[in-house]
Amino acid sequence: MDLLDNLNPAQRAAVGAPPGAILVVAGPGSGKTRVLTHRIAYLISAMHVSPWHIMAVTFTNKAAREMEHRIEQLLDGRPQGLLMGTFHAICARILRREVDNLTHYQRDFVIFDTADQLQVVKHVLAELNIDNKKFPPGKMLNGISSAKNDLISPAEYTATNYVSEVTRRVYERYQLTLQANNAMDFDDLLMNTVLLFDERPDVLAKYQERYRHILVDEFQDTNATQYRLLRQLAGEQNSIFAVGDSDQSIYKWRGADYRNIQNFYRDFPQSQTILLEQNYRSTQVILDAAIEVIRRNRDHIPKKLFTERPGGSKIIIREAYNESDEAATVVNTIESLMLQGYNGNAFAVMYRTNAQSRAIEEAFVQAGIPYRLVGATQFYQRREIKDIIAYLRLVHNPLDAVSFNRVINTPMRGIGQQTQTQFAAWAAALELQPGEALVRLATDPDVQHPFNGRAYSALYAFGGLFAGWLALRDRVSVGDLLDAILEQTNYRAYLEDGTEEGEERWANVMELRSVAEIGGDIALSDFLEQVALVAETDNLDHEAQAPTLLTLHAAKGLEFPIVFITGLEEGLLPHSRSMDSEDELAEERRLFYVGLTRARDAVYLSHAFRRTSWGDSSVAVPSRFLADIPEEFIDGQRPSARRRESIDRASTWDTGRKSWNNNQARQQTAWGDHERRSPARPEQARPAESRLPEPYSRTEEPRADRPANPNFKTGQKVRHGKFGEGTVIESKITGSDEEVTVAFPGIGIKRLAASIAGLEAVG
């Protein structure tokens, strides 16, 4: 098999390039995963590079798994020795190998997730007597993470104001707490690896010699520490193959720095740049519109995206009255398209902030259409799962005080808060971590302790269980260990309280048990590491026949036939926090660009005339990004032309609509339960040409029989066969028809085509 066959010229140039520093600028949908996997296979089969000498770095476990699967297909088997995984997983692997060269950690260190980190910060704030309302734990944690991303240790942290001085103090105590727990957070995995390589050139040289070819996916999303790590491993001799696109860098808030692409040019002056411009996803209309949006960014790398799918449906832009009307319009359009033959999973509804999903979810519920919400409580963040993981982590690492504090009285075993406080003080006096002290209490008959009969009995019983689990740890599988913990703690009885919720929680625990079973003979440390490194969207079920609701940030790396982007208003997209910074505005523009280029066939953009925020309903201004899309790619009136008009109309619209606004899209009508439920959907793909449904229908060319003036007037009472009586808000000539906007009490605002709506004047 010739690995260069079936590649376009740019892809062939990238895959077959001689070793060295290579930057592949991959436009959206240009086949970057195909290039990466073919490059790895080409190195092995054509350049005769041992898999042992190759490291491939990704940002999600899902991406790593997909690449591994493709490489196995290309090479007819799994190449032994190839290292592929996320930055965090690879760094965790290196640190476990080199733990003897670390000063503060033992081999069985654990990885604290965000919830654990917040718990530590809250504990530190209490210890330092700092008001957690004035200095929220999340804000403190963000400050600590930012410092670590810039390779700033607590000793090197410089305070420039009072907030940063508090952050410095919290950071110092936070890091000491992690070390006492033999724990690292995600940032530590990266930072400690870089610092190890800095401090031990001999260790770095060993890894440079082993991994002579470094490949990295989503290079634009690397932060300062990740870039430094790649630079260390590449050295002066090794080959580095970086694939990314600065136009798709949207994670600045978590440390990503698109300027690393410029740093690449600086640090590798002899590098070769290859542009992947052929798109295999979207229509040319979508690509042309997206390029017009993104080219206004100062640091945009010029490229011409093209596809073999010329033309395509124009981008449809519509204004809704408010968020409820917007949501209802989106759901109505999806329902109509499903009736035309689209499967439910063809649709994605995207928004800038999680809070925007509320109105959209309500609209789906009222329509009786199932949906998938990305970003809700994920499996490994559920209470019962975190409980069991805490038990396993404590057995794996008895120094883990965070896990100890979570499980000491879960389920309740008579160890109340007062006893817990007394126990913590006793353990500290012995200079032991709580887990160590508990084992000593249960196994040393001569130990001196301050506990009374009831408290001692409860602690002794729990200590006996814990000591038994420690003895089992290295003798049984993870699944068998989990079974012992569940049985001996009576955890099932604790969850199953006779409610459906209790049964669901126990089902979740059994799902975790299944995960452990799938792992077979996997070591407890490896199992816990895999659990800690699971990404939020890794478990997205693409087979479910339901529309997906997700933020634009979560949409990165995904694609859908039809994309709805809602809330395109100043203050939402671009977000209000970005208004004072050119860099922040540029990232908001990149976020919109990413959303547009997730679509294969059609894009629907919407904004609201009014939007409620923090309990206040006010007139919204259409997003400046909408004005960047040329007229020839738009179906609908340009919002930039209506911007001033919309604000001027606010006072006259507000009085007539306020009462309707409180009720629309809130009540389930009798026909809603019966008629709006979609019948079984055909399994075939969408029809080659299908009429887009009202109210997102295509504007027809003007015809000779176009009505001269609207037949319906603002304020007029009308009756609809399905929606009942309502009041006309607006009526205008659109194409060859009259578009009538009607407010129906208890249902909401509907835009109707007069020629087919069958509206009748009342009175």
Side-chain angles (χ1 to χ4, degrees), residues 356-643:
Q356 290 171 252
S357 74
R358 190 270 312 160
I360 300 169
E361 289 186 73
E362 287 186 5
F364 273 104
V365 170
Q366 290 186 17
I369 300 176
Y371 62 91
R372 297 176 294 170
L373 179 64
V374 175
T377 302
Q378 299 298 304
F379 180 80
Y380 288 105
Q381 296 302 315
R382 292 169 183 165
R383 185 192 74 196
E384 60 276 13
I385 299 303
K386 291 190 73 65
D387 285 348
I388 303 306
I389 294 297
Y391 271 110
L392 293 174
R393 283 198 340 195
L394 182 61
V395 174
H396 170 61
N397 174 25
L399 300 181
D400 183 354
V402 172
S403 294
F404 180 91
N405 291 334
R406 184 178 185 98
V407 304
I408 186 173
N409 201 39
T410 303
M412 290 182 290
R413 52 176 60 92
I415 306 176
Q417 189 58 53
Q418 183 176 349
T419 301
Q420 292 179 42
T421 302
Q422 187 181 25
F423 180 81
W426 176 68
L430 294 176
E431 298 185 343
L432 297 174
Q433 286 293 95
E436 296 173 296
L438 185 66
V439 172
R440 183 166 181 182
L441 183 69
T443 59
D444 184 356
D446 299 322
V447 68
Q448 299 296 312
H449 61 81
F451 308 111
N452 61 29
R454 178 178 297 179
Y456 173 77
S457 296
L459 289 167
Y460 181 85
F462 184 43
L465 293 177
F466 184 42
W469 301 331
L470 291 175
L472 282 176
R473 180 180 60 187
D474 298 323
R475 294 165 35 204
V476 301
S477 68
V478 176
D480 289 340
L481 176 62
L482 195 154
D483 286 341
I485 292 171
L486 292 174
E487 181 179 351
Q488 293 172 16
T489 58
N490 291 317
Y491 196 79
R492 181 172 188 174
Y494 166 66
L495 290 181
E496 290 190 328
D497 55 0
T499 66
E500 289 186 6
E501 180 182 4
E503 293 178 1
E504 289 174 0
R505 290 187 180 279
W506 177 248
N508 290 335
V509 173
M510 289 295 96
E511 180 65 20
L512 180 66
R513 177 64 178 81
S514 299
V515 174
E517 191 68 28
I518 292 171
D521 294 329
I522 187 172
L524 178 58
S525 60
D526 292 338
F527 175 78
L528 292 172
E529 190 166 295
Q530 288 180 12
V531 167
L533 296 174
V534 169
E536 182 183 74
T537 58
D538 279 358
N539 294 316
L540 181 59
D541 180 9
H542 290 276
E543 300 303 318
Q545 298 298 303
T548 300
L549 279 57
L550 73 172
T551 66
L552 286 160
H553 281 106
K556 181 70 164 48
L558 304 176
E559 62 177 70
F560 302 87
I562 298 178
V563 166
F564 295 80
I565 305 179
T566 61
L568 277 157
E569 300 145 29
E570 295 290 297
L572 276 180
L573 187 64
H575 198 278
S576 57
R577 291 193 300 265
S578 70
M579 297 303 186
D580 297 328
S581 167
E582 184 177 348
D583 281 349
E584 297 287 348
L585 276 173
E587 176 136 335
E588 294 291 297
R589 187 181 296 277
R590 292 195 292 269
L591 192 58
F592 182 42
Y593 172 77
V594 166
L596 288 173
T597 55
R598 298 311 92 194
R600 295 205 292 264
D601 302 328
V603 174
Y604 296 81
L605 308 177
S606 61
H607 59 101
F609 171 71
R610 304 189 69 91
R611 190 169 295 272
T612 302
S613 179
W614 300 97
D616 177 47
S617 177
S618 57
V619 174
V621 177
S623 170
R624 67 191 70 188
F625 300 151
L626 291 173
D628 296 335
I629 303 176
E631 289 278 5
E632 62 263 31
F633 304 135
I634 294 175
D635 178 356
Q637 184 183 359
R638 290 182 62 82
S640 56
R642 298 196 305 257
R643 187 173 298 180

Side-chain angles (χ1 to χ4, degrees), residues 2-286:
D2 189 341
L3 291 169
L4 299 182
D5 287 348
N6 302 318
L7 299 177
N8 66 42
Q11 292 173 336
R12 282 197 298 272
V15 170
I22 301 169
L23 177 64
V24 179
V25 180
S30 60
K32 68 178 180 63
T33 303
R34 182 180 179 85
V35 167
L36 276 165
T37 53
H38 276 69
R39 174 66 173 180
I40 294 171
Y42 191 82
L43 286 172
I44 295 170
S45 64
M47 296 186 181
H48 308 294
V49 174
S50 169
W52 179 267
H53 291 310
I54 300 174
M55 173 192 291
V57 188
T58 68
F59 271 83
T60 66
N61 296 307
K62 175 186 173 185
R65 289 195 300 267
E66 181 180 350
M67 288 175 62
E68 284 180 342
H69 177 67
R70 292 197 192 185
I71 291 168
E72 288 178 16
Q73 290 182 320
L74 290 172
L75 297 178
D76 295 324
R78 184 173 184 176
Q80 296 301 313
L82 171 66
L83 177 60
M84 179 176 292
T86 65
F87 275 98
H88 295 107
I90 288 175
C91 286
R93 183 171 177 172
I94 292 172
L95 291 173
R96 292 200 190 279
R97 285 177 179 169
E98 304 298 333
V99 71
D100 292 339
N101 294 314
L102 303 179
T103 55
H104 300 293
Y105 299 94
Q106 300 176 22
R107 189 172 303 277
D108 57 355
F109 67 80
V110 294
I111 302 170
F112 278 6
D113 63 14
T114 303
D116 301 320
Q117 293 171 255
L118 284 171
Q119 186 175 342
V120 172
V121 171
K122 291 175 183 177
H123 180 69
V124 168
L125 290 171
E127 283 187 334
L128 297 176
N129 198 28
I130 295 173
D131 188 346
N132 62 13
K133 293 182 179 178
K134 292 182 179 179
F135 301 95
K139 185 175 182 179
M140 294 291 98
L141 191 57
N142 286 340
I144 293 170
S145 180
S146 295
K148 290 185 178 183
N149 285 338
D150 290 332
L151 292 174
I152 299 173
S153 67
E156 297 167 328
Y157 190 96
T158 301
T160 57
N161 52 44
Y162 184 54
V163 173
S164 60
E165 170 57 26
V166 173
T167 303
R168 184 195 65 77
R169 292 158 55 195
V170 173
Y171 183 12
E172 182 178 44
R173 184 69 65 88
Y174 168 86
Q175 202 62 21
L176 290 172
T177 303
L178 258 60
Q179 291 168 2
N181 282 270
N182 192 28
M184 296 186 194
D185 61 22
F186 291 115
D187 297 318
D188 283 330
L189 296 175
L190 304 175
M191 184 175 180
N192 288 337
T193 305
V194 169
L195 294 178
L196 171 65
F197 287 163
D198 277 346
E199 296 165 3
R200 294 291 303 275
D202 58 322
V203 175
L204 173 59
K206 178 174 65 175
Y207 286 94
Q208 287 176 332
E209 172 62 24
R210 174 164 182 181
Y211 300 113
R212 300 174 189 172
H213 296 270
I214 313 297
L215 299 94
V216 57
D217 189 15
E218 304 288 8
F219 182 67
Q220 77 282 348
D221 292 333
T222 54
N223 60 32
T225 304
Q226 290 162 337
Y227 180 78
R228 176 74 172 278
L229 176 67
L230 294 170
R231 185 73 183 86
Q232 287 175 320
L233 290 168
E236 301 301 325
Q237 303 298 324
N238 284 348
S239 172
I240 181 167
F241 188 91
V243 181
D245 180 8
S246 58
D247 289 339
Q248 298 184 71
S249 179
I250 59 172
Y251 299 122
K252 183 179 179 181
W253 50 275
R254 67 184 190 196
D257 191 346
Y258 69 93
R259 291 172 296 188
N260 283 340
I261 289 181
Q262 299 302 321
N263 294 337
F264 188 92
Y265 291 132
R266 178 198 67 202
D267 294 331
F268 301 97
Q270 303 303 316
S271 64
Q272 177 184 1
T273 300
I274 300 172
L275 299 180
L276 300 184
E277 299 174 297
Q278 183 170 355
N279 179 281
Y280 293 92
R281 176 188 302 152
S282 307
T283 65
Q284 193 63 54
V285 166
I286 293 173

